[in-house]
Amino acid sequence: IQDIDIKDVIDRIQAVPESQIIEAIPQFSESGSLDGIGIEDFGPAVQIYLGIQQAIIDFQLTAVTLRCFDLIAPLQSTGCLALARLNDEGIPAGCEGDIPALFTMILNHLIQSRPTFMANPSGIFQDRIRFAHCTVPLSMTVSHSYKSHFESGIGVAVSGGFPSLGMTISKIGGRKLDRFYVDEADFSGNSSDADLCRTQLWLKPRKGVRYFTTSPLGNHHIIGTDQYADSFRLLMQSLGCREVG
């Protein structure tokens, strides 16, 4: 693990030439509709992506987790768009400096070679649970639009709609990262509550929702399309980890 000072990351972001930003904006802005934001919001968001991309090259990184809230004040934008693109490019990229969640993303990627959705449980109704976050790899969605980041009201966040597929929910946790949760889930719908992070997904876990209401392994969980809980379980057990939930 490399612990890179956030100032080093911000320096690389601020050093991105304006011409490079202008050239790259259409690659992002033209892929989805804009909902409550303008084309001018893409400049800082694309600049963040290009700066993080440079940091990945400079430090020879294969995965990243970004302390994204530390970017808001100095850059007046967010990392949501950057993380969505990096995941689509095959670089597991997580939010809020969450290392256990990033490890979970990496192991998911090793198993099924596709990007994953890092999200927060944000509501339970009977046997269904809603997950939400402001970034999602576009390749996981069947439709998407761009909105502002929920907590800050600035930047460019992704509001994605998922296909009706079986999915897998997982998380590694514990003080020694020696415990794990995994379950397969049925798709139960997308939603667009204005008072939540922009991408919202309802799932019906096969084992029920009790784990999430009693002793979850943190807040962030990782969701992958397709159902491969047995493969994830076998890998974790081979590493001597104990299943919870």
Side-chain angles (χ1 to χ4, degrees):
I1 297 175
Q2 295 189 57
D3 185 4
I4 302 166
D5 194 306
I6 192 67
K7 184 179 182 302
D8 290 339
V9 178
I10 292 173
D11 286 347
R12 282 169 172 78
I13 293 169
Q14 293 177 328
V16 176
E18 184 177 1
S19 59
Q20 191 177 354
I21 299 168
I22 294 171
E23 182 181 355
I25 285 175
Q27 302 172 28
F28 294 85
S29 63
E30 294 177 0
S31 69
S33 62
L34 310 189
D35 184 355
I37 63 171
I39 192 69
E40 66 277 4
D41 293 302
F42 280 84
V46 170
Q47 183 178 16
I48 289 171
Y49 162 73
L50 294 171
I52 295 173
Q53 189 182 55
Q54 187 60 53
I56 288 171
I57 295 169
D58 292 346
F59 292 99
Q60 298 182 319
L61 305 177
T62 56
V64 297
T65 180
L66 180 67
R67 281 168 35 203
C68 36
F69 281 90
D70 290 353
L71 302 181
I72 293 174
L75 301 176
Q76 287 299 292
S77 191
T78 64
C80 310
L81 191 66
L83 297 178
R85 175 59 66 93
L86 290 170
N87 276 296
D88 273 331
E89 292 174 343
I91 301 291
C95 305
E96 300 169 40
D98 189 334
I99 292 175
L102 180 62
F103 281 162
T104 311
M105 295 175 80
I106 292 169
L107 291 179
N108 274 268
H109 192 266
L110 287 173
I111 291 169
Q112 46 104 31
S113 299
R114 290 193 294 271
T116 51
F117 175 44
M118 173 181 169
N120 302 310
S122 60
I124 291 175
F125 180 74
Q126 296 178 348
D127 58 352
R128 301 187 301 143
I129 181 166
R130 178 166 54 185
F131 292 90
H133 225 173
C134 278
T135 182
V136 63
L138 301 188
S139 62
M140 294 184 71
T141 69
V142 292
S143 63
H144 70 274
S145 62
Y146 296 116
K147 301 181 179 181
S148 63
H149 176 245
F150 168 59
E151 287 92 343
S152 67
I154 61 175
V156 179
V158 184
S159 175
F162 284 86
S164 179
L165 295 173
M167 301 196 185
T168 299
I169 311 167
S170 59
K171 180 64 183 295
I172 301 168
R175 293 184 63 184
K176 298 181 179 180
L177 297 182
D178 57 355
R179 294 185 292 158
F180 72 95
Y181 165 83
V182 67
D183 193 13
E184 293 175 350
D186 296 320
F187 173 83
S188 189
N190 299 294
S191 62
S192 55
D193 190 328
D195 295 324
L196 282 176
C197 292
R198 306 314 189 188
T199 294
Q200 302 165 25
L201 167 67
W202 282 97
L203 293 177
K204 183 178 179 181
R206 300 284 176 82
K207 295 192 290 189
V209 299
R210 186 174 184 274
Y211 155 82
F212 294 98
T213 62
T214 55
S215 54
L217 296 174
N219 195 30
H220 294 133
H221 282 69
I222 308 305
I223 299 165
T225 51
D226 207 352
Q227 296 180 329
Y228 50 90
D230 286 345
S231 297
F232 188 91
R233 183 177 294 111
L234 184 63
L235 174 59
M236 296 307 298
Q237 290 173 342
S238 74
L239 296 172
C241 299
R242 178 173 62 89
E243 185 171 2
V244 300

